[in-house]
Amino acid sequence: ILACVVPTEGQVAKVVSEGYPELTIDLNDLEVHPEEKNTSAALIRGVAKGIADAGFAPKGFCAYASSTVPGGSGLSSSAAYEILLGNIFNTFCCEGALDPVKLAQIGQFAERNYFGKPCGLMDQAASAIGGVVAIDFNDPGKPVIRKVDYDLARSGYQLYIIDTRSCHADLTDDYAGITREMGAVAAHFGKEVLRDVKEEDFLAAIPAIRAKTGDRAVLRALHFFEENRRAQEEAEVLAQGKMEEFLALVNASGRSSDQLLQNIWSVSAPDQQAVTLSLALAEKALAGRGAVRVHGGGFAGTIQAFVPQDMEKSFVEAME
């Protein structure tokens, strides 16, 4: 997102995003407005509240923004918007005192409490920090961030993000279900999150957990434990330049998302399976090479593919 911004007198934040209606928010009123749920207006008000809670006084501004991030596509458009707003307030109200991690936390606060989506911190942190990063969220207040220096193009591959022409804007309940079900498994052990549960204890308790939460929650918890290890392995092999090992882990992660996390399509709209179809066609086009998986939160939106450079032309033609 690129924005041209000017500070203004008074306490009004005005944002004109190319292709969208003008938004005007009174910064004297930073309470949650239920009617703004799932809207950009909620994010403006929520980020302003986060700035105020950080000890700074939000001031008025006028912004004109243009974005190349498709909305509702799984490419973290809301996180990018939140970080844009955070940078605006940080520049005009905070004298640049807030670091990228703090801006990410403010963005998450806005999305969870004002927009109404129970998201984690990953999208906001990635948008705020930039580049390839490995992030440990064991302490959400102080995430451990490590940049991974890797040149994908020199490896002989190109990363493609494919828009499946499906929108996840109305799928908040599906995302919330993941958080709710994993939380229910953690609650069986008296914990709030699965990171605080030992995997061996979870495996031993599966019969009791199934009876309490149902099978899907158990499968999603299985995905969590495996994916947590896999993410660490991905960062390590990429840092060592072991691209083929990284791609194998990407494929394994994608299969786990499909079979265990079950975020490829929504049970509320079984006729819409654009992500599943796109994954199948991408695998066919790659013919056993590279890697492909769902991108972002899933259910709709985009997929990612690591394509050998000698296959780029045929891959693009097949997917188009």
Side-chain angles (χ1 to χ4, degrees):
I1 302 180
L2 180 67
C4 181
V5 192
V6 60
T8 58
E9 298 293 330
Q11 292 295 105
V12 174
K14 182 166 73 171
V15 179
V16 182
S17 294
E18 193 172 43
Y20 294 90
E22 175 183 307
L23 297 174
T24 302
I25 300 297
D26 181 0
L27 298 177
N28 291 309
D29 176 13
L30 299 183
E31 297 299 314
V32 175
H33 286 225
E35 73 278 6
E36 291 178 350
K37 183 179 179 181
N38 292 320
T39 70
S40 298
L43 295 178
I44 300 172
R45 204 180 301 273
V47 170
K49 174 61 173 173
I51 294 293
D53 288 348
F56 300 93
K59 299 176 183 177
F61 64 86
C62 180
Y64 184 90
S66 178
S67 175
T68 59
V69 186
S73 64
L75 288 175
S76 308
S77 57
S78 58
Y81 192 76
E82 292 150 15
I83 299 305
L84 170 70
L85 294 168
N87 276 291
I88 292 172
F89 284 117
N90 196 26
T91 299
F92 294 138
C93 313
C94 313
E95 297 182 348
L98 303 179
D99 64 19
V101 173
K102 183 60 178 178
L103 293 179
Q105 291 168 336
I106 289 174
Q108 181 197 29
F109 165 81
E111 187 152 345
R112 291 179 70 95
N113 296 283
Y114 284 71
F115 189 83
K117 182 178 177 181
C119 66
L121 189 61
M122 183 178 66
D123 289 0
Q124 289 80 3
S127 295
I129 297 162
V132 182
V133 293
I135 311 176
D136 187 332
F137 294 105
N138 188 43
D139 181 355
K142 296 180 180 179
V144 179
I145 300 166
R146 175 167 60 94
K147 279 190 169 289
V148 179
D149 185 19
Y150 189 78
D151 185 350
L152 180 64
R154 292 182 62 183
S155 71
Y157 288 87
Q158 181 63 47
L159 172 61
Y160 279 84
I161 301 296
I162 298 105
D163 184 356
T164 70
R165 299 293 194 267
S166 56
C167 181
H168 71 192
D170 298 324
L171 297 173
T172 297
D173 288 345
D174 289 280
Y175 301 119
I178 294 175
T179 304
R180 182 174 60 251
E181 291 177 19
M182 289 192 182
V185 175
H188 177 82
F189 301 92
K191 306 293 185 181
E192 291 187 7
V193 293
L194 285 174
R195 182 67 176 265
D196 295 333
V197 177
K198 293 181 179 180
E199 184 176 9
E200 56 267 30
D201 292 342
F202 160 72
L203 293 172
I206 282 179
I209 299 172
R210 288 182 70 192
K212 184 181 295 184
T213 68
D215 287 343
R216 190 173 69 172
V218 173
L219 291 167
R220 284 174 163 173
L222 277 171
H223 169 82
F224 169 83
F225 288 111
E226 293 177 5
E227 189 72 358
N228 213 35
R229 281 192 299 273
R230 202 155 30 227
Q232 298 175 65
E233 293 171 8
E234 284 178 337
E236 292 304 321
V237 299
L238 203 57
Q240 297 169 24
K242 299 178 180 178
M243 187 62 181
E244 295 303 322
E245 292 184 31
F246 172 76
L247 294 176
L249 289 165
V250 170
N251 279 322
S253 177
R255 288 192 296 271
S256 183
S257 288
D258 183 359
Q259 298 168 9
L260 302 182
L261 186 61
Q262 300 181 31
N263 69 333
I264 305 301
W265 56 279
S266 172
V267 295
S268 64
D271 291 341
Q272 188 285 105
Q273 295 196 35
V275 168
T276 314
L277 177 59
S278 298
L279 289 169
L281 294 175
E283 286 185 358
K284 186 176 180 63
L286 287 172
R289 298 177 65 189
V292 61
R293 59 153 298 132
V294 63
H295 181 82
F299 298 108
T302 56
I303 67 171
Q304 61 174 245
F306 292 87
V307 182
Q309 290 173 350
D310 64 335
M311 297 183 72
E312 286 188 80
K313 186 174 185 295
S314 63
F315 179 81
V316 170
E317 288 177 350
M319 295 310 296
E320 292 290 358

